[in-house]
Amino acid sequence: MRPRGVHVAAAVVLCALSGPALAACGSAGTGGLESAGPTRPAVGPVRLWPDLPPATNPPIDYGESDIQRVPGIRVTGDDVRSADAVEVVRAEVRARPDARTGPDGLYEETARAVAACVSEPAACPVMRPYYRDLTGDGREELIVGIRMPEQQVAVRVYRAERGGLTRIMSTVDQVISVELAGRDLIMRVGSAGIPGYEYRTAWSWDERQGSMLPTRDEIVRVGPSGGRTPAGRLPGPGPSGTTGSSGTTASSSTTGPSGTTGTGPSPVPPPPPEETP
């Protein structure tokens, strides 16, 4: 004779495996099945305007302007920690001192401050570097931030290869925070003209392009319902042509959700715990 406990256990397993169809298994002693309600039909994607002709222009080659050898910088053993972050940025400014647009674009006063980092270190806009394997090759990359006016921050990533450094990412935006999550670099930026929202762009390594690309871009509600302070985009453009995820990125001509000039400074939520350099 099979013990009664075996029958009870079997019933519990049946309920667990049956899902919504037997949602009432745990009802107060009824012992019967109850309907979980009608299931909504699945709706697949529908293509709009299927007669549109294919684009004749070739797709933009994301990242081609990102990949750039840093002139005059040598690294030991392809270890990015052997390179000084300030000297890396200074080398780029020396090579293109008048660059105000594109991936090399800096404000004129920022470029001057970078050039004077050795003589005036307290005013140097190059922030402390961080290191993380973003490409998945087992070696760290160098992550550099450069402060600029109007809360603009230039974020650049460098990869060590063949005894030197190759820049694989460059973008500028009015940054709320920059975070590392696994092999992704995530930038949070105040929304343009949409109070209570922010843009979040995840930059990820693309083996085909050999550079970091903005692979995920989203608008996120950050008001009181989300437990965070609304973050409005600060006014004032960066160097022409170098806006980041809320406009045209400095690394390509792609655009994220664009908008009008922001409404002015808003409180910024506290930053997440810092990554150890």
Side-chain angles (χ1 to χ4, degrees), residues 26 53 58 66-67 77 92 105 139 148 152 161 165 169 186 193 209 213 260 264 273:
D66 286 347
I67 306 170
E92 293 183 315
R139 293 186 288 115
M148 295 196 292
Q152 297 275 334
E161 55 183 6
L165 282 182
M169 172 185 165
I186 300 172
Q209 290 293 328
L213 301 183
T260 58

Side-chain angles (χ1 to χ4, degrees), residues 200-219:
R200 294 183 192 171
T201 303
W203 291 76
S204 309
W205 170 251
D206 185 276
E207 184 69 33
R208 180 176 179 180
Q209 290 293 328
S211 67
M212 301 284 290
L213 301 183
T215 53
R216 293 185 299 281
D217 203 356
E218 60 181 348
I219 297 180

Side-chain angles (χ1 to χ4, degrees), residues 55-135:
T56 56
N57 294 330
I60 296 172
D61 189 9
Y62 295 119
E64 67 177 356
S65 60
D66 286 347
I67 306 170
Q68 183 170 287
R69 193 76 165 176
V70 182
I73 295 295
R74 306 296 298 174
V75 296
T76 303
D78 282 346
D79 180 4
V80 292
R81 289 181 182 260
S82 67
D84 183 270
V86 172
E87 288 304 314
V88 171
V89 179
R90 290 185 58 182
E92 293 183 315
V93 171
R94 284 195 300 268
R96 301 165 190 83
D98 299 322
R100 301 291 175 260
T101 63
D104 291 300
L106 295 175
Y107 284 98
E108 183 177 354
E109 56 265 45
T110 304
R112 288 197 304 266
V114 168
C117 277
V118 174
S119 59
E120 301 178 37
C124 184
V126 181
M127 296 183 285
R128 70 171 181 172
Y130 286 85
Y131 304 90
R132 174 67 69 92
D133 178 11
L134 298 175
T135 64

Side-chain angles (χ1 to χ4, degrees), residues 128 130 132 175-181 185-189 198 200 228 268-276:
R128 70 171 181 172
Y130 286 85
R132 174 67 69 92
V175 173
I176 296 172
S177 72
V178 182
E179 305 165 6
L180 289 170
L185 189 149
I186 300 172
M187 295 183 62
R188 294 175 51 215
V189 179
E198 69 181 27
R200 294 183 192 171
R228 308 176 89 158
V268 176
E274 282 196 350
E275 171 80 8
T276 302

Side-chain angles (χ1 to χ4, degrees), residues 157-253:
V157 178
Y158 304 86
R159 184 186 192 191
E161 55 183 6
R162 302 189 304 277
L165 282 182
T166 300
R167 189 176 67 202
I168 60 174
M169 172 185 165
S170 178
T171 190
V172 177
D173 217 322
Q174 290 175 316
V175 173
I176 296 172
S177 72
V178 182
E179 305 165 6
L180 289 170
R183 289 166 48 193
D184 289 343
L185 189 149
I186 300 172
M187 295 183 62
R188 294 175 51 215
V189 179
S191 64
I194 315 177
Y197 290 81
E198 69 181 27
Y199 295 115
R200 294 183 192 171
T201 303
W203 291 76
S204 309
W205 170 251
D206 185 276
E207 184 69 33
R208 180 176 179 180
Q209 290 293 328
S211 67
M212 301 284 290
L213 301 183
T215 53
R216 293 185 299 281
D217 203 356
E218 60 181 348
I219 297 180
V220 181
R221 180 80 171 95
V222 291
S225 61
R228 308 176 89 158
T229 305
R233 182 177 176 83
L234 301 180
S240 177
T242 61
T243 55
S245 59
S246 56
T248 302
T249 65
S251 57
S252 71
S253 60

